[in-house]
Amino acid sequence: MTRRYILPTLLPALTCCLVGVTMTASFGAEPATRTAAVDSEGVLRWQDDKSEVALLGVNYYVPFSIDYQRLQLLGLDHDQAIRDDLTHFQRLGISAIRLHCWDREISDREGNLVDNEHLRLLDYLIAQCKERGIYCVMTPIAWWGAPNPGGFSDLYKMPQMTTDKASWPAQRRYLGQYMNHVNRYTGLAYKDDPAIIAIELINEPLYPQGTTEPQITEYIDTLTAAVRETGSHKPVFYNCWQGHDAAAGASTLDGCTFGWYPTGLVNGAILVGDHLPKVDDYPSMRSPRLTKKAKIVYEFDAADVHGSVMYPAMARAFRSGGGQIATQFQYEPMCIAGTNSNWQTHYLNLAYTPHKAISFAIAAEVFRRIPRLSQFGSYPANTRFGDFHLSHPDDLSEMVTRDSFLYSNSTTTNPPAPQELVRIAGHGSSPVVRYEGTGAYFLERLAPGLWKLQVYPDAVMVADPYSGGDSEKVRVLWARHSMTVTLPDLGSSFSLLACDAEGRPKPASTVTGEMQLSPGMYVLAKAGVAVPETVPGVPFVAPASSTKPPAAFVSAPDQWREGKDMKVQATVATADPVEASLRVRPSGATSFVDIPMQATRPYE
């Protein structure tokens, strides 16, 4: 049945409405068991082969604070949320998380560690990360308020934490017990678990006016000693978000952490425009006082930007500055991502922001492939660097190599050697995959002539994702769409096998052109190629399809030039075919006019 929608819009003074809208093994196959240390030159290196550490990841907060509380309020399973999200991290090639722990939720007034559900979930998260090859940067002290206070941070304001020595014994006691805590799932103390790659002492410290650099150095060294006195050999970092390079440089620290929000925070709506010129470089890490200190980016984001070009550009800037680990703030748990209610100004999730998620997967490759301290000049010349390309007009980031092809939106780029491809990740269409849906998809070669395909459901915007509140922002819909895969390794005719929830392929059908696919996991097999009983690697995890009534989203700029044609776009979230009209009342008119709209792709 075709449904018809009328989208009302007022156009004062002719203002318009405008909406922009192989690998032979999977990532994370090896557990996180390598140890790392900072050498005499300030470089964080793996200790098995002395190669440089280069990890990109996210902040993730299901065990604590508002994320914990939101899941609890909705009656959701925190453990399942962790498993689902970490599966997506593996799918995207995310290799690190950072978590500043809400110490108020796991400590008492004297700084003793309290064993409770928050700490159990922290144990579980670390154990799950370890199993999946994801390394953890842990920040034991956050200071931030909590729904049920009771910890030592309740007694002090943040500037007191850093300079009032009466607060230091509780912090030292807490850090010691934190490092000695034995994870109930791994059997290892935090100080001994290689999955915890580094310790960042405290999140975003503040200081009273007039605090001197030597005072800050004394505080840093006091907390550092508390960690090392446990026998821990983990690299210790300190948060330099407000500078104080001299204090950090003079300390016994192994490294420093930095943050970056180049587009500001909490705009209240999608930020439009080209923001790439803002992320040419991140020079703070190149302070001469910190030459011998390793560098981590504890938080970053292009906040309120819904496009898909900023993450690879920021990763490029961090590598140019010497960053070795960087973690975006913050990945929205899949089970609550539809509303983006907890961290209004940030929005990243594979199912709900597929184009941004693919761009983040590309940024992870930037971190792995671009050498530390590489320089690429200024915008727009730096939109091509290494194997990467960024285009703001096309809202496109892509990585193109002989064996891998990743793109965040539709592209006309031809991979240089299609016959050598082993990995494809995309959103939209390309010369090798034509797809009509709006979700992400992943193709990886398991063997010659044998490919694993995962197709994620459609994501449809129904409100401005950055507007705040608990209302729905993006809707997930499971729909059947056409896909054509053109790969020399498969040829023009191959078998298509859908997989069940356990990854077991079902009986095959022969494909000679277009495939009609619903979200899920599939095997594509050339004639004569053996198909495994169970497909290896990262499983398929996705939210259920929405059953809510149809919804539409139209946005309008504040002004439009009189006499100029206007391109008006809207998204309509419904599984039914759509006919839509825009209802307009020009300034001074007493009645509305319905202008027919034309479908450009599903939901748009």
Side-chain angles (χ1 to χ4, degrees), residues 42 166 213 309 470:
E213 298 297 288
V309 296
D470 294 338

Side-chain angles (χ1 to χ4, degrees), residues 77 103 143 231 286 288 311 378 441:
D77 185 334
D103 50 274
W143 180 82
R286 293 196 293 271
Y311 289 140
S378 301
Y441 52 84

Side-chain angles (χ1 to χ4, degrees), residues 298-318:
Y298 74 101
E299 290 179 15
F300 74 93
D301 199 13
D304 303 305
V305 174
H306 205 61
S308 65
V309 296
M310 295 295 283
Y311 289 140
M314 297 180 78
R316 177 196 63 207
F318 294 143

Side-chain angles (χ1 to χ4, degrees), residues 304-528:
D304 303 305
V305 174
H306 205 61
S308 65
V309 296
M310 295 295 283
Y311 289 140
M314 297 180 78
R316 177 196 63 207
F318 294 143
R319 291 301 280 160
S320 295
Q324 294 191 256
I325 302 175
T327 52
Q328 178 266 359
F329 195 95
Q330 135 291 337
Y331 192 89
E332 190 71 16
M334 183 184 75
C335 58
I336 58 173
T339 61
N340 194 33
S341 56
N342 278 354
W343 308 92
Q344 168 187 342
T345 195
H346 311 284
Y347 202 20
L348 177 63
N349 181 275
L350 172 55
Y352 289 87
T353 65
H355 61 309
K356 291 182 71 173
I358 295 295
S359 79
F360 200 80
I362 294 168
E365 293 292 345
V366 171
F367 242 74
R368 279 185 277 272
R369 294 168 184 258
I370 295 299
R372 186 175 54 88
L373 301 177
S374 298
Q375 302 296 313
F376 297 98
S378 301
Y379 183 80
N382 60 10
T383 54
R384 291 190 180 273
F385 58 101
D387 298 320
F388 306 95
H389 168 235
L390 308 175
S391 171
H392 166 70
D394 299 318
D395 188 24
L396 172 66
S397 54
E398 55 186 356
M399 183 186 84
V400 187
T401 70
R402 295 186 70 84
D403 65 2
S404 298
F405 189 22
L406 283 69
Y407 44 93
S408 67
N409 264 318
S410 292
T411 178
T412 58
T413 299
N414 285 292
Q419 70 280 5
E420 297 179 25
L421 286 172
V422 297
R423 179 189 177 206
I424 300 163
H427 172 258
S429 293
S430 74
V432 295
V433 179
R434 182 174 59 80
Y435 182 54
E436 294 182 352
T438 65
Y441 52 84
F442 301 83
L443 272 157
E444 55 186 311
R445 194 178 75 168
L446 303 175
L450 184 67
W451 289 73
K452 172 181 175 179
L453 167 65
Q454 290 183 340
V455 180
Y456 282 79
D458 296 330
V460 187
M461 191 184 299
V462 296
D464 191 311
Y466 308 97
S467 58
D470 294 338
S471 61
E472 184 184 29
K473 307 301 190 304
V474 174
R475 181 173 298 180
V476 162
L477 294 172
W478 288 52
R480 194 171 178 85
H481 295 294
S482 170
M483 176 180 280
T484 303
V485 175
T486 307
L487 287 170
D489 188 60
L490 285 171
S492 59
S493 179
F494 52 86
S495 296
L496 170 68
L497 299 88
C499 298
D500 63 18
E502 282 70 45
R504 295 186 295 257
K506 301 176 183 178
S509 60
T510 301
V511 174
T512 57
E514 289 187 5
M515 301 176 283
Q516 295 296 320
L517 300 179
S518 299
M521 184 160 70
Y522 301 85
V523 171
L524 312 181
K526 194 173 183 178

Side-chain angles (χ1 to χ4, degrees), residues 39-86:
D39 68 14
S40 60
E41 297 303 309
V43 179
L44 185 64
R45 296 187 181 276
W46 298 113
Q47 291 306 283
D48 50 10
D49 62 5
K50 304 303 179 183
S51 61
E52 293 186 11
V53 173
L55 306 174
L56 187 83
V58 295
N59 282 247
Y60 183 70
Y61 290 102
V62 164
F64 293 106
S65 189
I66 57 175
D67 279 1
Y68 173 87
Q69 194 176 34
R70 181 77 173 166
L71 268 66
Q72 186 180 49
L73 178 67
L74 296 173
L76 301 174
D77 185 334
H78 293 74
D79 292 32
Q80 185 65 51
I82 288 171
R83 291 193 296 271
D84 289 347
D85 291 330
L86 265 57

